[in-house]
Amino acid sequence: MTTWTLNGRTWGYRQEDVPGSPYYLMGSQVFKVWHLLMADLAATAVAAAGSATGAGSAKTVAEAARDAAAGSAIAANGSATAANGAKAGAEAARDAALGHATDAGTAKTEAEAARDAAQGYAANAGTAKTEAEAARDSAQGHATTASAAKTGAEAARDTAQGHATTAGAAKAGAETARDAAAGSAGAAAADRVQTGADRAATGTALATAQALVGSAGTGTATGLAYGALTKSLVTAADVVAVHIYDTRLDSDGGAWTERQGGSWYWEALNTATRGARRRFPTVALIVGQATSIGNVLIIYDAHDLDANGVPRIWMAFPSTATWWGHPQGLKSVHALNGRVWVVTNTGSDGRGHEINFVGDTIERFGPPGGWSLVRGGIASRATTTLSSAGSGRIKDGTASVQMNAVHARVIPGAPLDSAGLPIPTVAVATTAGVSVIHPWGAVYDITGADFGAVQIAANGRMVIQYAFGTSSQADVGPIPYADLSRTAWRQGVYSRTNIPSFVGGSANNLRQTLAVAGGWAGACDDRLSLLAEDPSNIVNGMVAYVTNSYATGWQPGDIRGAWLCDTATGNVTGSVELAVNGDFSSGTAGLTSVNATLSTSASQLVVSRNAAGNAVADMPVAVTPGQTYSVQVEAAKGTTTGNLNLHVSDGSTGGPVLLNLSSSATSTVFLGQFTAGSAAVFVRLFHSGTVPGETAIFDNLSVRLALPDRSYKGRGLVVNGTVSRTALACGLAAVSATWGAAHRLSMPPHPDFD
């Protein structure tokens, strides 16, 4: 049984499907109710198509409309068939009952109309079906949209919950910030109090400084004094070599210290030979000590200080290590690019060692053969011995195994080591010459003297000195790539008198020479000497002298003089002639002799040799200690074949030499200066030689108070009358006077000023 409900009525195909109801589609009944069926079907289809109340209801109605439309189409097809049958029956009835023709015609017309209507309704039913399916699809789309909307709403809900959580955290953070701000406000208030105290302290310090400056008045050079700016780091009395190694000046800026892992890096810390830090110090203070039991090399970490501000030991190399070869005589230390060089000289033997922290090796140089420490690396430095010859990089021997000094420099184009660092070129000063160790291990020598110091400049030039500490000369030249004699190698000589005068002073010694930007720096007995070298023409170089009492500025070439560059202040009044009988108008009064007979001729002093040796005439002169004096004398050879000489000694004829001038010329004018150390000096006039009877002639000896000449010429300005020296802001002093014949500075006549 099949039934369906349309527009409130229940329909069926057969009468028995809907008992008692006229709404069925079998037989001729379809013609009676067809118009009602179409109306119900149309109403239901319209309702289904227009329904948008709910996705579920629309779907249900659409499905019912679809089913009804399908049923209606079937019924319509059946009705069309029935109509055709009815037409046949009607035509038969017409023939059988002519009296009923009118009614049959009417019935025919109505049946045809019903057929046409049924066909139209069938078409409408198809359209309704299509619309119903579209409505169904739309309803399904709305359902999908509704589901998506639900999902979005749930996501929005979760986001809102997240924002709520964030808002809670923000609230908590804000409360914390509020509390911190309150604390900061308190700290700021404390800082303001401290700042006020600091300002007050600064004001006090400023007032003190101003008072000290005010006390540095006329006639004083020490009115402004400062506290000690130095600190004793190592107090051992047996320190013989010190080197400050700043790894930030290495080729890689010290980066190698950040990527190490050799035996020394992993060895036990806080032992007798190792400190508390593994990493190589950024700034290392390397100290060599010659103890009673042997050499000790200690590396201090300049950035790791104890409670007293003294650097702690980072690593020690004890004297008991047999690889030293000779436990005594440590002389010099140098370091660069992760390598430390140590040289020794016992007086009869010596060695050189390269401690390579990058390669974790210790290599010996000096004796030929190439010895290196490989067993255990640097961590075994306290006990291990050297391996057999041939395992090291440096296989050539040096000029001598007795070594006095070592220096290293990276030369452009040098090969790289395993860490990517350029291998430095090393120069070693020995008792038989200077040996240069090239990066590939070859060694070339500059022979011919006992050298005490050596330095390599950034431009590849070298400076070498004779026996360390007593040299008055420095030789310069290029890095050698073959064995050469000293005279064949050198390109220039700097001394006391060579131009420009690097050493300066007639009796000065050059203690140490250092390579600096653009030239050299020399530590002399009484000054720091700076040299701006002109390698293409040595005499065109410039020198500058610096002490705690004067600074000359640059002096080019063969300078005539450098005056009035002192810091001394106060009035200076010139002296009378201090050389009593200096014109020898009173014969030989006031003079004493050595190996000579003294006489005068035409008011000139004649010194005749009466025994082998220098023929000498001495004159004592009373002076004021600490003052500078100008001394002048005219000298000429009589019959002597030796040199003419002017000599000034302090305190006695055998006292310290203050001035020493000599000339081989037939005649000359000696002009110089000296600074007295005691209340009397001795001026010595003499000529050298051995032949008795030879003579020399001297005249017009003069000694006068002077303002010093700081150039190598050493010819002071004689003070006449009184001049004033006033301190300037730059630290020097201005010299002033009521200039004229009575108050002036003068230079005695000399050929240099002609």
Side-chain angles (χ1 to χ4, degrees):
M1 181 178 65
T2 302
T3 61
W4 64 91
T5 300
L6 297 175
N7 199 25
R9 283 190 279 265
T10 302
W11 292 82
Y13 288 114
R14 298 173 298 176
Q15 185 176 10
E16 55 264 36
D17 292 335
V18 287
S21 172
Y23 304 113
Y24 61 92
L25 303 176
M26 289 298 291
S28 62
Q29 185 65 17
V30 68
F31 300 110
K32 297 177 182 180
V33 297
W34 183 256
H35 64 285
L36 295 175
L37 175 62
M38 294 299 103
D40 289 348
L41 183 60
T44 301
V46 171
S51 177
T53 305
S57 297
K59 179 180 179 182
T60 302
V61 173
E63 290 173 346
R66 179 195 65 195
D67 295 339
S72 297
I74 295 169
N77 291 334
S79 296
T81 303
N84 290 332
K87 177 182 178 184
E91 289 175 348
R94 180 192 64 192
D95 295 339
L98 294 174
H100 297 291
T102 303
D103 293 336
T106 302
K108 176 184 178 184
T109 301
E110 290 177 355
E112 291 174 347
R115 182 196 63 194
D116 295 337
Q119 291 174 345
Y121 284 126
N124 290 337
T127 302
K129 177 184 178 184
T130 300
E131 292 176 350
E133 290 174 346
R136 179 198 65 195
D137 296 340
S138 177
Q140 289 175 346
H142 285 303
T144 301
T145 301
S147 177
K150 177 184 178 183
T151 301
E154 290 173 347
R157 178 198 64 198
D158 295 341
T159 300
Q161 290 175 346
H163 285 307
T165 301
T166 302
K171 177 183 177 184
E175 291 173 348
T176 301
R178 177 198 63 199
D179 297 340
S184 297
D191 287 344
R192 286 195 294 271
V193 172
Q194 184 59 45
T195 299
D198 290 343
R199 287 176 176 172
T202 301
T204 301
L206 177 61
T208 301
Q210 290 173 335
L212 288 171
V213 171
S215 70
T218 300
T220 69
T222 59
L224 185 60
Y226 298 93
L229 299 178
T230 59
K231 184 176 183 63
S232 178
L233 302 180
V234 180
T235 57
D238 51 13
V239 173
V240 293
V242 176
H243 179 72
I244 298 175
Y245 176 26
D246 188 343
T247 63
R248 295 169 298 186
L249 301 179
D250 283 343
S251 298
D252 66 350
W256 69 269
T257 64
E258 302 286 353
R259 53 178 187 269
Q260 290 305 300
S263 65
W264 58 269
Y265 186 86
W266 297 111
E267 70 178 336
L269 302 179
N270 298 307
T271 67
T273 59
R274 191 63 195 272
R277 293 185 175 184
R278 294 193 183 281
R279 181 178 174 274
F280 193 94
T282 300
V283 179
L285 177 62
I286 306 175
V287 178
Q289 294 175 247
T291 69
S292 59
I293 61 173
N295 299 320
V296 174
L297 184 70
I298 301 177
I299 301 176
Y300 295 86
D301 189 338
H303 289 175
D304 181 20
L305 309 181
D306 63 17
N308 297 317
V310 176
R312 293 185 176 93
I313 290 177
W314 179 77
M315 181 180 286
F317 294 77
S319 61
T320 55
T322 55
W323 55 265
W324 282 110
H326 293 278
Q328 302 288 345
L330 195 151
K331 290 292 185 180
S332 179
V333 177
H334 191 73
L336 181 65
N337 278 9
R339 302 164 189 253
V340 177
W341 295 273
V342 187
V343 298
T344 64
N345 181 358
T346 66
S348 60
D349 209 336
R351 293 291 186 271
H353 291 94
E354 179 184 81
I355 305 168
N356 185 350
F357 285 93
V358 175
D360 196 21
T361 62
I362 300 176
E363 181 171 352
R364 175 185 293 173
F365 57 88
W371 296 77
S372 72
L373 174 67
V374 293
R375 294 193 297 274
I378 294 176
S380 300
R381 62 191 175 277
T383 57
T384 192
T385 59
L386 291 169
S387 68
S388 60
S391 58
R393 174 177 64 94
I394 308 169
K395 295 180 172 58
D396 294 342
T398 53
S400 169
V401 296
Q402 295 175 251
M403 304 179 189
N404 297 319
V406 61
H407 187 256
R409 177 79 67 174
V410 172
I411 302 303
L416 306 182
D417 63 16
S418 60
L421 286 168
I423 301 175
T425 297
V426 182
V428 183
T430 78
T431 55
V434 170
S435 295
V436 176
I437 305 171
H438 290 274
W440 55 91
V443 179
Y444 297 110
D445 301 323
I446 301 170
T447 59
D450 181 357
F451 290 107
V454 61
Q455 287 269 312
I456 307 175
N459 61 1
R461 288 176 67 77
M462 293 173 49
V463 62
I464 56 179
Q465 293 174 228
Y466 296 102
F468 181 79
T470 59
S471 176
S472 63
Q473 177 177 315
D475 295 351
V476 294
I479 292 176
Y481 290 87
D483 293 334
L484 296 169
S485 68
R486 173 180 59 87
T487 54
W489 163 80
R490 67 185 181 190
Q491 295 176 338
V493 177
Y494 295 104
S495 64
R496 296 167 181 161
T497 57
N498 284 32
I499 300 171
S501 177
F502 181 47
V503 181
S506 62
N508 220 1
N509 286 309
L510 180 63
R511 300 294 179 177
Q512 178 68 55
T513 303
L514 301 176
V516 296
W520 311 97
C524 302
D525 287 340
D526 63 353
R527 73 195 72 184
L528 172 65
S529 182
L530 304 176
L531 171 64
E533 189 181 20
D534 182 352
S536 63
N537 190 352
I538 295 296
V539 298
N540 284 344
M542 298 186 297
V543 294
Y545 305 141
V546 181
T547 72
N548 63 349
S549 60
Y550 67 86
T552 66
W554 289 112
Q555 306 168 66
D558 189 13
I559 188 75
R560 298 295 92 181
W563 302 281
L564 310 183
C565 50
D566 294 22
T567 61
T569 59
N571 294 338
V572 178
T573 300
S575 67
V576 297
E577 178 57 63
L578 300 178
V580 178
N581 192 31
D583 60 0
F584 308 112
S585 59
S586 298
T588 61
L591 297 171
T592 58
S593 65
V594 178
N595 298 330
T597 300
L598 305 181
S599 63
T600 59
S601 174
S603 296
Q604 293 179 324
L605 176 64
V606 178
V607 180
S608 300
R609 181 179 293 106
N610 60 17
N614 294 335
V616 177
D618 287 324
M619 175 182 285
V621 178
V623 293
T624 301
Q627 295 290 342
T628 298
Y629 296 88
S630 172
V631 58
Q632 181 181 27
V633 68
E634 299 169 7
K637 291 182 177 180
T639 60
T640 185
T641 56
N643 287 347
L644 301 169
N645 299 274
L646 168 63
H647 186 104
V648 179
S649 59
D650 196 36
S652 67
T653 55
V657 175
L658 302 178
L659 179 66
N660 185 13
L661 302 178
S662 181
S663 174
S664 61
T666 302
S667 63
T668 189
V669 176
F670 289 121
L671 176 61
Q673 65 185 21
F674 64 88
T675 299
S678 60
V681 296
F682 280 80
V683 178
R684 171 165 288 190
L685 308 175
F686 67 97
H687 57 99
S688 58
T690 59
V691 180
E694 290 185 336
T695 62
I697 302 168
F698 299 90
D699 198 8
N700 295 322
L701 173 64
S702 175
V703 178
R704 299 277 303 275
L705 186 69
L707 296 183
D709 173 15
R710 302 303 186 182
S711 77
Y712 84 102
K713 297 285 190 181
R715 295 165 178 159
L717 295 174
V718 174
V719 179
N720 299 273
T722 300
V723 297
S724 298
R725 297 176 295 185
T726 305
L728 299 175
C730 65
L732 298 179
V735 177
S736 61
T738 305
W739 301 112
H743 303 283
R744 57 190 173 87
L745 299 173
S746 63
M747 173 65 65
H750 191 274
D752 271 1
F753 301 101
D754 292 345

